[in-house]
Amino acid sequence: MSRWKFVGRSDELNRLLAAVTGEAGRGLFFSGSAGIGKSRLLREGVSALPTERFAIWSIAASATTAALPFGGLVQVLPAEQPQGLSPAGILRWALNVLQQQAAGRRIVLAIDDAHLLDPPSAALVHLVARAENATVVGTLRDGEQIPLPIRALWTDDLVEHVELTPMPHAETAGLLAAILGGPVDAGSADRLGRLSAGNPLLLRELVHAANGSAELKRTYGIWKWTGRLELAPSLTDLIDTRVGKLTDGVRAVVELVAFGEPLGLLLLNKAADPADVETAEERGLISVVQHDRRTNVRLAHPLYGEVMRRRCPVSRTRRLQAHLAELLEQVGKRRRDDLLRVAVWRLDSGTAQDPALLVDAAVQAFTRYDVPLATRLARAALNADGGSDAAELLATILMFADRPDEAIDVLDAVTPEPDDERRVCRWLTVRGMVSYWGLSRESTVEEIASRAEQLSDSADRSRVHAFEAIMRLHRLDTTTAVRLSQRVLDRPAAGVAARELARCTIAYVQAAQGQLTRSGTAIAQVHSAVANWRTDMPYLQLALELARGTRLMLTGDLAGIDAIVADEFADLAGAGDFRLGTGYLAILQAYAARLRGQSDAAMRTSLGACAVLATSRVYAGLAQAERAQSAALRGDAVQAAAAMAEADRTHAPGMAVLYPWLEQARGAALAASGDLPGAVKQLSDLVDRLRSDGFAGHEVHVLHDLVRLDQAGLPVGPTCSDGGRRTVAQRLAELSEQVDGVLPPLLARHARAAVTDSAADLLAVADDYAALELTVYAAEATSQAAQRLRQQHSTAANDARERLAGLLGRCDVIRTPALQAGAPVLTEREWQVARLAAHGAPSRAIAERLYLSARTVENHLQRIYAKLGVTGRAELWAALRAIPGHDGGDAD
């Protein structure tokens, strides 16, 4: 990790190159903070310039040479200077030296840290910039005194001056992957990106520090940062240099903000001298920002807080935190966030004595899905004699922190008395949740069902029935699950959270059955009531997302998936280490990427989901199934098989309702391995099972998988009254009238076109798939059309190949059986000849290059034309690009 690959900054790099190579040849200076990447950007730009056109001199100015005349250009000018010349004469002499050495090429003078140039060197740079055959580019550090000749470069309009901003999040994630040699999970990338504030140097130092500990781990090929921040001495020195020496008053301001940010400006002015606050802002240590109607203060850089908090003595830390809590309590906890802030300050300062405050704060943290903070607060509340409320809350949070054994111990220590029905109800549902999902004990369902009938209160009984219903759903007892859920909805006394949990159960079943419109209505009702159930049952969000995500996948609504993986819950779950949430959303994201043909993103995201869910069995099997699908899309049979083996190992029996996704993935893995008969049997058996369970929403997708394997005419299902069986195409046509949405009729049209060998209909279907962003399906239907047209020797085949090449051009590497079937196979020599011919090389030139005779080249070309079904060179380019896994290549 001593040097990392140059990542991102493509716009800035292109702007730098254009400034040098453009007709005007106008220069460019980048300015920015230390470590922002100015020097690396300058080096990359200069190294990309052709030396046959440009005479390039690269200069690194430094404080060492700043006191010497022409010390900044000591790397460029001759050691001996002519005697007796005036200062102006020396400048002209120096410019002549550069022009002589350029030998007619355009001069490019690149100066890193130009603010450190001595005055004569700065004057010469300005003179070079004015020369007709020269361009000056360079970097400057923010906050430094800039020599007047350098400043005049842009004030005289000789160069552009651009402020280099922090790297955006996407580029930071790319840089992390380059530093570590592999992808980084989204949560870790986000946290490291925020701590570095988009500064590549600080990011590299953070990774160096983390990599030296055991807290940066690689799981399923994905790097994840699991531990606390380590500050290496080099990183601390960098921060010290930026912060500089502080007076006691300014240090107190920075420390207060470090422990309290975001801190209201009014509160900070009460806690510290306003003059010191102003000084801290002037020195760039804090920033004042407007948020809603409150003026907040934050540290200018996240790492300032890390350093200040580490160095602050424990006694002063506690005093500052207690002082902040007292001040906020005095002015009044006007905002909901204030309660949580006071509780955390009280807890950290050792002054937390009110268990009710800690319980309320823990609930608030959990509603934000901040699992680590909620755990701390709930445990503190229990230790402060918070009683059964604190215990049940802590156990719930521990369940979602993947610590179910500890959760059970906490619950069993506060077993309620039988006559306290409200407590029994709460305790029973929490313990049931931990036992069923955390410990995979299926007997839990019958246990809570029997206890529910002993409750006399209708609201309490409804709450238990709502939990029993969703457990029965996951156990695949859908009939009982729907009956119990409807009973909850029919009870006026049922609480809001119980009703909406029951509605989620029904919405999921409706989606699986193909009642997608009704499912969407139910999901919208649950979502609209979120403010009324989140405090009582924050984890209900998981049931909502499971129902909503399943519906979106079955409708093929990729834009809808994009929306939910980018909404508030996704941000909160990622920031709060709510792994079941982030893991499930990553599965959805991988699904959408896969159907768009973005196999790289699908593979990376599914691996990330597997890594996040590695310690939880709730969705672990589902994540592995999506990984298998992503691998199969790429034709990676080995990884697809390994993922299915992991899916079988990690899939919890209590999540049986997810079987359609796992068994569908198994079919894809078999097909990727080349076992098409095995894949067809697997999918056919799955169709029978789905029909038996009434999961028509899933069935249409599995039937379509058979169409993709060219099995649209395959008999499926039971024997009909006429003694025959429905074909895949006929069953899809039947279901297209039963399952909601635009996708089932489209899948049925695809099957019908495949059965009738109608290339025109296949191309029309492909257009409709493409409109839905289902690029893989569009490419497969187009490939099927192209195969038929080629077999028919139709003149429309070349147009179909062009369309297929365009669709494959939108995708990463995809190698599905539908694309591979009928795809021409060329030998390595034929590929060499075909590429050269497609790029316009005549036969004689191809022969000379490949050391063949012209006749041999012509013979190769005739075989290539026959295999590809083309008539000549004009059609070669599209034909080669229409072969999956190839883009036609270059002439080399």
Side-chain angles (χ1 to χ4, degrees):
M1 296 192 339
S2 58
R3 183 173 176 84
W4 64 89
K5 179 183 175 183
F6 184 74
V7 175
R9 300 290 195 197
S10 57
D11 291 341
E12 294 88 343
L13 182 60
N14 291 335
R15 187 168 184 176
L16 176 61
L17 292 174
V20 177
T21 61
E23 292 184 8
R26 190 172 177 225
L28 177 68
F29 269 70
F30 285 113
S31 62
S33 59
I36 202 69
K38 307 180 299 297
S39 301
R40 183 66 185 274
L41 177 61
L42 182 64
R43 288 198 302 272
E44 291 292 328
V46 169
S47 66
L49 296 173
T51 55
E52 65 272 12
R53 288 181 53 198
F54 298 98
I56 305 165
W57 284 276
S58 294
I59 299 155
S62 67
T64 305
T65 60
L68 302 174
F70 290 109
L73 301 181
V74 69
Q75 306 154 56
V76 173
L77 298 176
E80 299 294 332
Q81 298 177 9
Q83 300 297 317
L85 292 179
S86 66
I90 291 177
L91 291 176
R92 284 194 297 272
W93 164 80
L95 179 58
N96 288 335
V97 168
L98 294 179
Q99 289 174 334
Q100 290 170 12
Q101 294 177 353
R105 296 171 296 171
R106 187 171 188 83
I107 295 172
V108 177
L109 196 58
I111 311 105
D112 192 23
D113 287 339
H115 54 279
L116 295 175
L117 287 175
D118 59 279
S121 294
L124 178 57
V125 169
H126 189 92
L127 188 62
V128 171
R130 287 189 172 278
E132 292 184 359
N133 67 331
T135 302
V136 175
V137 292
T139 68
L140 300 160
R141 184 180 297 177
D142 286 347
E144 300 288 347
Q145 187 69 33
I146 300 173
L148 290 177
I150 299 300
R151 185 181 295 277
L153 289 174
W154 57 87
T155 58
D156 291 350
D157 204 28
L158 297 174
V159 303
E160 291 183 80
H161 181 211
V162 176
E163 178 71 22
L164 194 61
T165 57
M167 292 183 76
H169 173 72
E171 293 187 0
T172 300
L175 181 55
L176 274 171
I179 296 172
L180 291 168
V184 182
D185 89 282
S188 300
D190 182 65
R191 187 179 175 209
L192 286 165
R194 283 187 285 108
L195 282 171
S196 67
N199 185 296
L201 177 61
L202 293 178
L203 181 66
R204 183 174 181 273
E205 292 296 331
L206 283 169
V207 174
H208 266 305
N211 204 41
S213 68
E215 295 169 344
L216 187 63
K217 300 178 181 179
R218 200 172 192 174
T219 307
Y220 295 111
I222 304 295
W223 287 99
K224 183 175 179 61
W225 184 25
T226 61
R228 68 191 294 271
L229 177 67
E230 295 292 338
L231 293 179
S234 57
L235 187 57
T236 304
D237 290 343
L238 280 172
I239 302 303
D240 284 343
T241 301
R242 291 190 178 194
V243 172
K245 293 184 178 180
L246 303 177
T247 65
D248 291 342
V250 173
R251 177 176 294 279
V253 169
V254 177
E255 288 176 341
L256 283 165
V257 178
F259 288 109
E261 66 177 336
L263 202 57
L265 181 59
L266 177 63
L267 195 68
L268 181 59
N269 281 330
K270 287 181 175 293
D273 187 335
D276 290 325
V277 175
E278 292 174 8
T279 302
E281 184 182 6
E282 289 171 357
R283 289 189 52 180
L285 300 173
I286 61 173
S287 57
V288 180
V289 294
Q290 193 69 31
H291 181 70
D292 292 335
R293 291 178 294 174
R294 180 177 287 187
T295 304
N296 285 334
V297 182
R298 290 185 175 274
L299 292 175
H301 195 287
L303 288 177
Y304 291 174
E306 294 290 343
V307 172
M308 298 303 291
R309 287 189 290 270
R310 297 283 177 87
R311 291 184 170 175
C312 189
V314 173
S315 57
R316 186 158 75 239
T317 295
R318 292 194 163 201
R319 176 174 57 78
L320 291 171
Q321 291 167 331
H323 187 40
L324 286 169
E326 290 167 3
L327 286 173
L328 190 52
E329 287 171 336
Q330 288 172 10
V331 300
K333 299 187 286 290
R334 301 172 185 174
R335 297 194 177 189
R336 188 166 180 267
D337 292 356
D338 291 344
L339 179 146
L340 181 59
R341 292 159 65 77
V342 167
V344 171
W345 286 331
R346 288 294 184 196
L347 180 60
D348 290 343
S349 65
T351 59
Q353 299 176 345
D354 182 358
L357 171 67
L358 293 170
V359 167
D360 290 344
V363 169
Q364 192 175 118
F366 195 31
T367 61
R368 296 180 175 190
Y369 305 105
D370 189 338
V371 173
L373 179 57
T375 304
R376 284 186 61 217
L377 289 164
R379 193 180 299 282
L382 183 61
N383 293 338
D385 296 326
S388 55
D389 285 343
E392 290 163 13
L393 177 59
L394 176 60
T396 303
I397 299 167
L398 288 172
M399 158 68 191
F400 292 98
D402 296 333
R403 294 153 70 180
D405 292 304
E406 187 179 350
I408 286 290
D409 291 341
V410 169
L411 284 169
D412 288 348
V414 291
T415 304
E417 295 296 328
D419 59 345
D420 189 347
E421 288 204 353
R422 178 191 170 278
R423 184 69 59 209
V424 168
C425 169
R426 296 279 172 165
W427 183 87
L428 190 60
T429 52
V430 173
R431 199 179 192 286
M433 178 172 60
V434 175
S435 177
Y436 184 83
W437 284 290
L439 300 176
S440 297
R441 295 175 182 167
E442 293 185 78
S443 60
T444 303
V445 181
E446 283 72 29
E447 291 171 8
I448 71 167
S450 62
R451 296 285 297 273
E453 300 310 316
Q454 301 171 15
L455 298 173
S456 60
D457 184 80
S458 180
D460 291 338
R461 197 161 55 249
S462 293
R463 187 180 182 93
V464 178
H465 280 155
F467 274 86
E468 180 191 349
I470 198 164
M471 290 177 192
R472 290 191 180 276
L473 166 65
H474 287 162
R475 204 171 69 169
L476 209 56
D477 184 359
T478 53
T479 301
T480 307
V482 171
R483 177 174 54 78
L484 283 170
S485 297
Q486 193 59 56
R487 184 189 301 177
V488 172
L489 292 175
D490 291 342
R491 283 178 180 160
V496 173
R499 295 175 64 83
E500 301 313 319
L501 181 59
R503 206 183 310 276
C504 284
T505 299
I506 292 174
Y508 184 95
V509 175
Q510 289 171 334
Q513 292 175 341
Q515 302 176 55
L516 299 168
T517 301
R518 294 180 64 190
S519 176
T521 300
I523 289 166
Q525 285 182 268
V526 178
H527 192 267
S528 66
V530 63
N532 298 320
W533 55 254
R534 179 164 285 176
T535 300
D536 180 16
M537 201 181 288
Y539 45 86
L540 194 154
Q541 186 80 39
L542 287 174
L544 171 62
E545 297 303 338
L546 180 61
R548 181 161 57 169
T550 300
R551 177 183 175 275
L552 290 171
M553 288 193 286
L554 294 179
T555 57
D557 185 356
L558 305 190
I561 291 176
D562 292 343
I564 67 171
V565 300
D567 69 5
E568 181 191 26
F569 172 64
D571 292 338
L572 292 173
D577 198 28
F578 191 60
R579 297 176 191 174
L580 283 180
T582 55
Y584 181 70
L585 293 178
I587 294 169
L588 295 182
Q589 193 173 6
Y591 179 91
R594 173 164 58 86
L595 295 193
R596 287 181 170 124
Q598 299 167 355
S599 63
D600 291 346
M603 191 76 256
R604 182 175 61 252
T605 310
S606 62
L607 283 168
C610 292
V612 168
L613 296 167
T615 58
S616 173
R617 298 187 65 190
V618 176
Y619 292 134
L622 185 63
Q624 293 291 350
E626 185 54 45
R627 174 191 166 201
Q629 288 275 22
S630 299
L633 179 65
R634 299 173 65 87
D636 187 347
V638 173
Q639 180 163 192
M644 284 312 305
E646 279 292 284
D648 291 337
R649 184 184 69 82
T650 58
H651 182 56
M655 297 300 292
V657 74
L658 300 178
Y659 82 86
W661 304 112
L662 273 73
E663 298 310 317
Q664 194 175 1
R666 197 182 311 280
L670 287 168
S673 72
D675 183 4
L676 295 184
V680 170
K681 184 180 187 309
Q682 165 69 20
L683 295 172
S684 298
D685 291 345
L686 180 55
V687 165
D688 291 341
R689 184 177 178 185
L690 291 168
R691 183 198 292 250
S692 175
D693 288 335
F695 285 177
H698 284 285
E699 188 183 350
V700 294
H701 287 267
V702 179
L703 288 165
H704 181 242
D705 279 355
L706 288 167
V707 176
R708 296 169 64 201
L709 294 178
D710 204 22
Q711 299 294 318
L714 179 75
V716 291
T719 302
C720 302
S721 58
D722 59 4
R725 298 169 68 198
R726 296 284 188 269
T727 65
V728 168
Q730 290 169 334
R731 178 60 175 164
L732 267 173
E734 183 181 1
L735 289 177
S736 70
E737 299 178 358
Q738 301 173 18
V739 178
D740 299 336
V742 298
L743 190 56
L746 180 54
L747 301 181
R749 283 173 50 207
H750 186 179
R752 185 170 61 251
V755 167
T756 59
D757 282 336
S758 173
D761 288 347
L762 285 168
L763 291 173
V765 165
D767 287 340
D768 289 343
Y769 280 143
L772 296 174
E773 296 187 82
L774 301 172
T775 314
V776 171
Y777 296 167
E780 290 178 338
T782 304
S783 178
Q784 291 173 333
Q787 292 170 34
R788 287 158 172 77
L789 291 170
R790 188 166 62 247
Q791 292 164 358
Q792 298 163 10
H793 304 288
S794 170
T795 57
N798 195 51
D799 176 63
R801 282 191 293 265
E802 288 279 4
R803 292 169 69 170
L804 177 57
L807 289 166
L808 292 177
R810 301 182 202 171
C811 304
D812 301 322
V813 175
I814 58 172
R815 292 187 177 91
T816 68
L819 292 172
Q820 299 285 359
V825 179
L826 303 183
T827 67
E828 184 59 35
R829 178 63 80 187
E830 286 170 344
W831 267 109
Q832 292 172 336
V833 172
R835 286 193 186 99
L836 291 165
H839 283 81
S843 295
R844 185 175 299 279
I846 296 173
E848 292 176 357
R849 182 160 182 176
L850 300 181
Y851 304 102
L852 302 171
S853 68
R855 180 183 296 276
T856 301
V857 170
E858 286 298 327
N859 289 337
H860 277 308
L861 284 173
Q862 292 306 313
R863 286 194 295 272
I864 292 166
Y865 297 158
K867 287 183 177 182
L868 299 181
V870 300
T871 58
R873 291 171 183 257
E875 300 173 12
L876 263 181
W877 175 242
L880 293 178
R881 290 172 56 236
I883 299 176
H886 299 279
D887 60 2
D890 54 33
D892 295 329

